[in-house]
Amino acid sequence: MKRLLFIFSSLLFMTANAQYVSEVWSPDNGDGTYTNPVINADYSDPDVCVVGEDYYMTASSFNCVPGLPILHSRDLVNWEIIGHALTSLYEGDEKLLHNFNVPQHGKGVWAPSIRYHNGEFYIYWGDPDFGVYMVKTKDPAGKWESPVCVIPGEGMIDTTPLWDDDGRCYLVNGWANSRSRFASVLTVRELNAEGTQPISNPVIVFDGNGTENRTCEGPKFYKRDGWYWILCPAGGVTNGFQLAMRAKTPYGPYEHKVVLAQGKTNINGPHQGAWVHTPFGEDWFLHFQDKGAYGRVVHLQPVDWASGWPIMGIKGGPVSKYRKPKSNSVTIVNPVESDEFNEYQLGKQWQWQANYDQKYGMPTAFGTMRLYTYKIDDASFGLWNVPNMLLQKTPADSFTATTKICMTAKDQNQLGGLIMMGLDYSALVVKRVGDKFHLLQLTNSTDQRKAHGEELIATLKPTESDRIDYQPAIHETIYLRMVVDNGKCRFFYSLDGKSYKAAGSEFHMKEGKWIGAKMGFVCVEPAGDTNRGWIDIDWFRVTK
């Protein structure tokens, strides 16, 4: 009977999951208008392609696994996560695969582009340490082929292919100063028709050095009415603007124009994204806005070509609220945040900090997600190098995240709980001390880079203790909560799921390395030969 109830609840959850509507941020106003951002989460460097009336987005994923998220929309406003193009970094290359078995913060997948060509979807990206890579598939929601290294080498980032009318393929890219020791230039080279290897050397087609167009990067390559177009940001991540440049050949020379800037609005940036020409004859631009601890969120702007240039927003300034793009869809749907953990596969919103290992944890047949303790070799460095954190992006400026977990500790100092993770982090955890649990707030910052501080909240008697003589454990079932509001995070706990008490000190969130702060679960213990403990996560719910 319990098994039947579980299957029934799983089916109900999957049905609800198909059209998930967020309580905390949904851009569709229900009256034919939308409010920016259309995705209020850290999908940095977004790129989009259109196939029929369907739109597919990907974004930077850096060291997070699975990587290269794939989102789908029918109207450019309502988006849902349908999969990932990378199950690991880097599948098929044992050397690089091993490299990313531990967190490599800020490395990995930078600024991808997604294109549809000859019946297949392609994603190109630059890994600044190893080269230009490509994956492809015929089904964007399904399995993608193993990555192909198109161009090995350091420094190449922000790659976009363009298949010309004659079948020839060109690739534009930017350069990472941290690896190449030069930047603010864009280069174009020709690839073979399959887009798998270069057949020419790169040519500098734009140079922003010594001008207001410094830090030009993130180029996207298009062709329209006989013109070759490169759209790229310049001026810096936080306070930059969007350039459009055009030429009659792929190699230029290119003339350029600022087509989107912050102006008097509060939408900083705004730049780096995707121009979309819809099947309804409209033009739109999706771009990111840097929101500090929340990461880089996705905005949608109308595009006006009347002047011969793609002027974005209203007269080159971003809109906060606007009419929706024309479409045949009326469905309101948002990226999933909450999770009942009733499925046999991990929800698509979750990522690890490194390549997945089965010993990190796995779904259970009991409607929970089990996360095993990761053995920390050097606790003096804090939690930054822990690969088995189960995390997801923050979904709004203000929200509440509540979870029910059961901590099972087989030995001393095993701990688990809820965490807000970034360059600084804070967590509310239960830790075994003797035959009891301590409820602790753990907090650390990159300025310190040492063992985290611990604030004792309460001493808890276990809710259950094993009475066998083989690897006995003690257990603590507890409800943990974080309340986030404008970059500040406060923790709460409950023993009955009804009455919550404040726990610890207010924490000021901080972004990660090139990503926003992420929320989720931590489960660790000191290194040694002890048997692992674990947390069973019953559910995780995001509400107002």
Side-chain angles (χ1 to χ4, degrees), residues 126-133 149-157 175 179:
D127 181 312
D129 297 303
F130 301 112
V132 176
Y133 287 82
C149 184
V150 178
I151 311 170
E154 290 185 330
M156 294 169 287
I157 56 172
W175 293 84
R179 273 67 163 188

Side-chain angles (χ1 to χ4, degrees), residues 408-410 466 468-475 531-532 534:
T408 293
K410 288 182 173 288
D466 292 346
I468 61 171
D469 59 2
Y470 180 75
Q471 299 179 9
I474 60 174
H475 312 269
N531 291 307
R532 296 178 192 269
W534 63 82

Side-chain angles (χ1 to χ4, degrees), residues 247-390:
K248 282 296 186 179
T249 76
Y251 296 105
Y254 283 86
E255 55 181 323
H256 65 275
K257 184 181 184 69
V258 175
V259 292
L260 179 66
Q262 178 175 355
K264 296 180 179 180
T265 73
N266 62 357
I267 303 174
N268 66 300
H271 55 55
Q272 189 157 345
W275 163 51
V276 176
H277 181 70
T278 77
F280 301 92
E282 296 184 332
D283 295 280
W284 298 84
F285 184 68
L286 292 115
H287 66 90
F288 75 66
Q289 174 200 11
D290 189 302
K291 290 180 65 176
Y294 294 101
R296 288 174 270 184
V297 304
V298 183
H299 287 241
L300 177 67
Q301 305 296 337
V303 177
D304 182 4
W305 283 92
S307 66
W309 291 86
I311 305 303
M312 301 166 179
I314 299 298
K315 298 180 180 180
V319 300
S320 295
K321 183 178 179 181
Y322 200 68
R323 68 163 181 84
K324 289 176 58 180
K326 294 178 181 177
S327 76
N328 289 319
S329 175
V330 295
T331 302
I332 295 179
V333 61
N334 308 124
V336 174
E337 308 139 352
S338 299
D339 200 336
E340 298 298 311
F341 295 106
N342 286 336
E343 298 188 60
Y344 295 137
Q345 293 184 345
L346 192 58
K348 295 178 177 64
Q349 68 269 43
W350 298 106
Q351 293 177 300
W352 308 96
Q353 289 206 112
N355 284 335
Y356 173 66
D357 185 303
Q358 297 171 93
K359 294 189 292 296
Y360 294 169
M362 58 200 81
T364 76
F366 322 117
T368 62
M369 174 67 190
R370 178 163 296 180
L371 195 62
Y372 285 102
T373 51
Y374 179 81
K375 294 178 180 290
I376 303 177
D377 291 324
D378 185 6
S380 65
F381 194 70
L383 299 175
W384 286 286
N385 283 345
V386 174
N388 77 324
M389 283 194 202
L390 186 61

Side-chain angles (χ1 to χ4, degrees), residues 124 304 421 439:
Y124 284 74
D304 182 4
M421 187 68 191
L439 181 66

